Amino acid sequence: MVVAVVGLGAMGRAMAERLLSRGYELRVWNRTRARTQGLAAPVCESPADAARGAEVVMTSLSDDDAVSEVLLGERGLLQGLDDGAVHVGTSTISHALATTLVRIHAEHRRPYLSAPVVGRPEAAANGQLVMLAGGEESLHECCRPLFDDLARRVVRFSNAPTANLAKIVVNTMIGGTIELLGEVMALGEKGGIAPSDTVDLLIGTLFDCPAVATYGRRIAAEQFEPAGFRLALGLKDLELALSAGDELRAPLPAANVVRDHLLAAMATGREDIDWSGLTTVVRAEAGLSDGERQAVKRP
Ligand SMILES: NC(=O)c1ccc[n+]([C@@H]2O[C@H](COP(=O)([O-])OP(=O)(O)OC[C@H]3O[C@@H](n4cnc5c(N)ncnc54)[C@H](OP(=O)(O)O)[C@@H]3O)[C@@H](O)[C@H]2O)c1
């Protein structure tokens, strides 16, 4: 299968490397060419060039604006997509843009499958993503071999916007989990429980799950760089959740707290750290400073 990967950020690059290791014929495009270095695949001059001749074109781009620009801009993807070639959109985008993308692709008679992903770059590199795929049944079947190489699980939805909403639901839950981890770890630390002990306590009682383990350990170690998922993109996702909440009349009070803490971290220049670094704001609110743990009284 000839696959084009458009967008080689943290996720796009990891997916491209995974596909190369599985023997796919790959071609790539990225706005900043330097990010294509070291990848054993032809680098194309534009999204349209990357799409030409590919059976599947996967996009992995930061946000709504990037997806719109790459798809519809000069030498954009739509101009190069061959008859029958499928565009698989893996970016986390708004429910509203997903609806627009369905219409635009239909107008151009080009198949479109939304397939936002759950999992960090390490999971993408190891074929351990969860893909939330939304679109027509025939497209699910056509992309099945590709998805089997990228994901440990594919959750199918009958249409693209629902898949994008599902991704927003999951990331809102992760954001809320990070927020609460930050709060209870600060509480424990102030009362003499080391952050790593709080994480063990949670895992060993009722919260043995990947989100608590992965993020809890990162937060306890204050390991926010390099980012797996940039804080600026976390803010984007919480904003997507809040606007979907407005559109669908679903209040999200906890998501507002997470958004504000992400925004506070952005205000002090922390946009490129991992989004679990929003807990630095939570710690500061509890009077705890970065990099300096409270003297912990072990029982
Ligand atoms: N990282 C994760 O853990 C993770 C997990 C699941 C889903 N996601 C989602 O996957 C998508 C990519 O995330 P990421 O972590 O790979 O982000 P990233 O490392 O920040 O990369 C963003 C990519 O988008 C490109 N881009 C941004 N604006 C553009 C524009 N106007 N025109 C063309 N290209 C543009 C960037 O190109 P340049 O290199 O030129 O800047 C880069 O290739 C996002 O929607 C994110 O929410 C990420």
Side-chain angles (χ1 to χ4, degrees):
M1 190 186 271
V2 183
V3 178
V5 177
V6 169
L8 294 175
M11 286 305 279
R13 172 102 193 188
M15 288 193 282
E17 282 173 357
R18 170 73 183 170
L19 293 178
L20 280 172
S21 76
R22 305 295 292 173
Y24 286 80
E25 192 180 323
L26 211 67
R27 58 243 313 287
V28 298
W29 177 83
N30 194 61
R31 179 181 61 176
T32 308
R33 205 180 168 96
R35 279 181 112 163
T36 63
Q37 258 175 17
L39 201 62
V43 179
C44 303
E45 290 299 320
S46 68
D49 290 340
R52 240 167 248 125
E55 292 156 80
V56 174
V57 181
M58 299 186 68
T59 43
S60 178
L61 300 157
S62 31
D63 55 17
D64 280 20
D65 287 348
V67 171
S68 302
E69 213 173 306
V70 165
L71 189 72
L72 304 169
E74 207 184 317
R75 302 176 73 201
L77 201 63
L78 267 180
Q79 294 173 28
L81 269 179
D82 287 344
D83 222 3
V86 185
H87 173 199
V88 174
T90 68
S91 316
T92 307
I93 56 167
S94 68
H95 185 241
L97 180 64
T99 308
T100 307
L101 292 184
V102 171
R103 179 179 52 74
I104 291 174
H105 284 79
E107 283 167 7
H108 287 77
R109 295 198 177 75
R110 292 291 179 267
Y112 174 66
L113 190 69
S114 248
V117 295
V118 178
R120 295 166 63 91
E122 311 86 85
N126 296 319
Q128 293 296 308
L129 292 171
V130 175
M131 301 188 83
L132 309 175
E136 283 174 20
E137 190 56 35
S138 60
L139 299 180
H140 286 289
E141 282 311 311
C142 154
C143 293
R144 198 204 311 215
L146 176 71
F147 290 178
D148 283 348
D149 280 321
L150 287 168
R152 65 179 166 83
R153 185 162 175 231
V154 180
V155 184
R156 289 188 183 190
F157 297 88
S158 59
N159 63 70
T162 310
N164 285 99
L165 184 64
K167 170 63 188 171
I168 292 168
V169 165
V170 173
N171 267 27
T172 306
M173 190 69 192
I174 301 174
T177 303
I178 293 171
E179 165 71 30
L180 262 182
L181 279 168
E183 291 180 18
V184 298
M185 285 160 84
L187 173 66
E189 189 175 346
K190 293 204 82 173
I193 306 172
S196 58
D197 290 344
T198 299
V199 179
D200 290 341
L201 174 72
L202 294 172
I203 293 171
T205 52
L206 292 178
F207 303 97
D208 185 7
C209 71
V212 169
T214 309
Y215 284 108
R217 303 235 186 275
R218 240 179 199 263
I219 297 163
E222 296 185 274
Q223 194 188 80
F224 304 125
E225 286 170 294
F229 185 52
R230 288 193 303 116
L231 195 141
L233 293 180
L235 177 63
K236 177 256 307 182
D237 286 1
L238 264 294
E239 280 171 346
L240 292 179
L242 293 172
S243 56
D246 286 350
E247 185 189 330
L248 301 169
R249 299 282 181 269
L252 298 167
N256 270 297
V257 174
V258 182
R259 176 199 177 268
D260 282 353
H261 281 156
L262 287 164
L263 199 57
M266 295 276 286
T268 46
R270 283 174 268 183
E271 57 266 34
D272 288 327
I273 67 170
D274 193 79
W275 74 323
S276 50
L278 80 87
T279 52
T280 55
V281 175
V282 178
R283 274 176 66 76
E285 284 179 353
L288 296 165
S289 56
D290 288 359
E292 204 180 286
R293 293 291 185 205
Q294 291 280 105
V296 170
K297 299 176 223 112
R298 284 179 184 277

